[in-house]
Amino acid sequence: AMLLSGKTKPNLVDRPLSKGKSEVGLSAFCFLFSEMVQYFQTRVNTTQDFERKLAGAGYGVGVRMLELVCFRERGCKREIKVVGMLSFIKDTMWKTMFGKQADSLERVTEKEDEYMIHDKDPLVNTYISVPKDFGHLNCAAFVAGAVHGMLESADFPARVTAHTTPAGGGEMRTTIL
């Protein structure tokens, strides 16, 4: 299409994908997440089922978030090594999803193909009160599901779980294994 100045307007398909509003309000995220937790709570009987439902919801989010970030980032290259992909998740994806990078990425010493992403204060565990009948529920199963979705959509088959582990000094942290 020609504009009045004689310049051509780029085709809709050729225009860059809008950055959009990159932040969602903390209260909006917490409200939606707590509603999702309450929804699943009425439909499960065990903690394992609860965490499996949260991980399933996170899986879809992870697949879509990876695709969105790769479309928005012009220089996004496909990672071919698992450590590179995990570093990308720990830094870029964590910052996009939670506003900060994860605390650390470590390789498990006993096994060559196992890695841990640590987060001392995951947003998904911050405003959730766990009912007594779900004792050791870790809502970070949602984050584990998201990481699983990112890894599988990047062609890295994985099994991802969330665990609460001691961090020293009496503090606890969430480990995505």
Side-chain angles (χ1 to χ4, degrees):
M2 292 287 278
L3 298 176
L4 294 175
S5 63
K7 295 180 183 175
T8 59
K9 185 177 176 182
N11 187 345
L12 177 65
V13 178
D14 297 331
R15 285 190 232 159
L17 188 63
S18 158
K19 286 272 185 197
K21 192 172 182 184
S22 61
E23 293 181 13
V24 173
L26 177 63
S27 59
F29 174 80
C30 291
F31 173 73
L32 289 172
F33 188 74
S34 72
E35 287 296 312
M36 185 175 65
V37 168
Q38 288 175 33
Y39 175 80
F40 289 147
Q41 182 180 352
T42 61
R43 286 160 176 75
V44 297
N45 295 320
T46 66
T47 304
Q48 291 81 12
D49 287 343
F50 206 146
E51 289 179 349
R52 197 172 13 262
K53 291 269 189 195
L54 285 170
Y59 183 91
V61 170
V63 168
R64 288 168 184 83
M65 284 299 296
L66 180 65
E67 185 176 4
L68 177 67
V69 167
C70 286
F71 277 131
R72 284 185 177 167
E73 302 270 330
R74 287 282 169 135
C76 189
K77 62 180 174 122
R78 185 184 183 299
E79 291 291 343
I80 57 172
K81 295 194 186 305
V82 72
V83 176
M85 184 63 193
L86 288 169
S87 293
F88 176 76
I89 290 171
K90 176 191 129 347
D91 298 332
T92 306
M93 296 305 297
W94 224 266
K95 188 164 174 120
T96 301
M97 291 175 65
F98 305 115
K100 66 178 183 91
Q101 293 180 352
D103 296 322
S104 66
L105 169 66
E106 298 174 24
R107 192 174 120 227
V108 176
T109 52
E110 298 87 39
K111 297 188 177 182
E112 251 182 65
D113 63 344
E114 281 190 9
Y115 296 86
M116 299 180 288
I117 297 176
H118 299 289
D119 192 346
K120 286 184 185 153
D121 190 27
L123 185 61
V124 294
N125 287 349
T126 305
Y127 301 105
I128 300 294
S129 301
V130 178
K132 288 184 171 109
D133 49 329
F134 287 108
H136 298 290
L137 173 69
N138 188 347
C139 288
F142 176 81
V143 179
V147 170
H148 186 205
M150 289 176 217
L151 287 170
E152 284 206 343
S153 66
D155 233 4
F156 292 102
R159 190 175 67 82
V160 184
T161 55
H163 306 275
T164 303
T165 57
E171 291 183 13
M172 299 300 276
R173 66 181 174 188
T174 297
T175 300
I176 306 298
L177 182 65

